[in-house]
Amino acid sequence: MRIIESIPEMQQASEGWRGEGRKIALVPTMGYLHEGHLELMRAVRPHSDVLVISIFVNPAQFGPGEDFERYPRDLERDIRLATETGVDIAFIPQVKEMYPGGYQTFVNVTEVTGPLCGRSRPAFFRGVATVVAKLFNIVKPHASVFGEKDFQQLVTIRRMVQDLNMDIEIIGHPIVREADGVAMSSRNAYLTPEQRRKAVRLNRSLREAQTLVQGGEKTGGAILKKVREVLAEGDDVRIDYAQLCNPGTLQEVTRITGPTLLALAVHVGVARLIDNSVLNPST
Ligand code: AMP
């Protein structure tokens, strides 16, 4: 695996591959890789000639007081795991090259970034859309893969690509979970063993909601009541949001009439965990 740190070097390399007709796929990450990231890479590997991952903890998507400084980092391990997974290129830029002095351009996707995480993390999606647009201009991929764990992020990127006529295929990948159902996340590293046990409640609440919906429950309020019961706020557990929305627009829904996104953000200890599931009513 080749490591590229400089933006012009990455652009020139990609230009060369494109000239040779090779298909480039990009998996953007913030590093501290886990099986969730690696599954995204494995999924796109057979469909790409050059598999590029980026490792960049993007300061623009962290708000004041959030965990930018203490976000877990282990570059040596990331490089080993990416190499073992068959990645061709790890693009690892420096903050000062991505956002040099005088930087002042941001991508603002408006409606779909309003609800859910947009409420509690107002700068987040602007930072995400901006860095992903930059990565697309630098790596020039034909396709790029994003996890459904960050469902709103995936919807935002799809919107950006469509609205700005970016000629890039966006591929969504299902959530990768630990054996006990907890969605894999670099932030799980923040959890104490006791908090880690409580983190199971997120996925459990999603499953209970699905059971209710399959049993014919259509009232959003009843479903969210069950979800809140299972999440059981208290010691170390605080719900940021538990919401039902249209999976395309992310607008809130109160009655289940078709596939409906149940999205959760829950503080467990110092970690803010997100998870989601698309609930399908029985027909
Ligand atoms: P991150 O490093 O957290 O920015 O994540 C990089 C990419 O991996 C994003 O597209 C995430 O949605 C995706 N990802 C992270 N965790 C998971 C997971 N458990 N399942 C599926 N995709 C994931």
Side-chain angles (χ1 to χ4, degrees):
M1 186 178 73
R2 175 173 159 199
I3 295 170
I4 298 182
E5 289 174 319
S6 118
I7 292 173
E9 186 185 339
M10 186 70 244
Q11 286 174 315
Q12 276 161 26
S14 288
E15 207 51 50
W17 298 317
R18 280 193 162 251
E20 294 162 4
R22 300 173 81 189
K23 186 168 175 195
I24 305 168
L26 170 66
V27 180
T29 83
M30 297 206 298
Y32 210 69
L33 301 180
H34 51 66
E35 273 298 310
H37 297 115
L38 302 182
E39 280 297 306
L40 265 57
M41 297 169 202
R42 289 187 196 113
V44 75
R45 176 69 281 184
H47 309 289
S48 54
D49 300 314
V50 184
L51 173 53
V52 183
I53 68 162
S54 58
I55 300 177
F56 182 62
V57 184
N58 173 34
Q61 71 191 64
F62 289 80
E66 289 187 353
D67 56 347
F68 175 69
E69 297 297 341
R70 62 190 166 85
Y71 193 84
R73 293 164 170 89
D74 189 343
L75 213 46
E76 218 173 287
R77 182 171 161 276
D78 288 348
I79 289 166
R80 181 170 52 76
L81 290 173
T83 307
E84 287 168 9
T85 310
V87 171
D88 297 307
I89 308 289
F91 174 55
I92 311 177
Q94 297 291 318
V95 171
K96 60 180 184 303
E97 202 187 354
M98 289 292 274
Y99 300 107
Y103 189 90
Q104 51 194 277
T105 305
F106 294 89
V107 178
N108 191 16
V109 181
T110 54
E111 283 171 33
V112 295
T113 65
L116 306 175
C117 289
R119 288 224 174 93
S120 44
R121 305 187 74 194
F124 177 68
F125 290 110
R126 184 178 98 132
V128 167
T130 300
V131 81
V132 171
K134 283 170 69 68
L135 290 169
F136 285 174
N137 282 332
I138 296 165
V139 177
K140 308 173 199 274
H142 297 85
S144 189
V145 191
F146 294 84
E148 289 174 0
K149 181 171 88 76
D150 301 86
F151 198 96
Q152 192 174 16
Q153 170 171 286
L154 174 59
V155 171
T156 302
I157 300 300
R158 283 195 200 283
R159 194 71 245 174
M160 173 183 80
V161 164
Q162 188 176 335
D163 290 352
L164 296 183
N165 311 100
M166 294 173 164
D167 190 11
I168 299 171
E169 182 191 1
I170 301 301
I171 301 164
H173 190 281
I175 301 177
V176 181
R177 299 181 179 282
E178 305 278 1
D180 63 0
V182 172
M184 291 192 183
S185 166
S186 307
R187 288 189 170 98
N188 290 347
Y190 296 149
L191 301 170
T192 65
E194 200 192 334
Q195 291 164 352
R196 176 65 185 69
R197 284 191 287 278
K198 290 180 178 169
V200 175
R201 294 178 195 171
L202 277 80
N203 181 49
R204 194 178 294 152
S205 75
L206 296 173
R207 293 210 325 267
E208 296 255 358
Q210 180 66 60
T211 305
L212 277 183
V213 169
Q214 300 247 294
E217 183 59 76
K218 299 216 178 305
T219 312
I223 295 161
L224 293 178
K225 182 165 175 280
K226 182 72 188 174
V227 167
R228 287 176 175 278
E229 268 168 34
V230 177
L231 290 173
E233 274 188 307
D235 293 340
D236 279 342
V237 179
R238 185 168 60 80
I239 301 171
D240 178 357
Y241 63 73
Q243 264 188 32
L244 294 163
C245 352
N246 177 305
T249 64
L250 303 184
Q251 292 300 307
E252 194 166 354
V253 301
T254 52
R255 268 191 84 70
I256 313 289
T257 54
T260 303
L261 178 72
L262 171 53
L264 307 177
V266 181
H267 294 273
V268 182
V270 298
R272 181 177 175 281
L273 305 180
I274 57 172
D275 203 341
N276 69 78
S277 178
V278 175
L279 307 178
N280 285 297
S282 51
T283 44

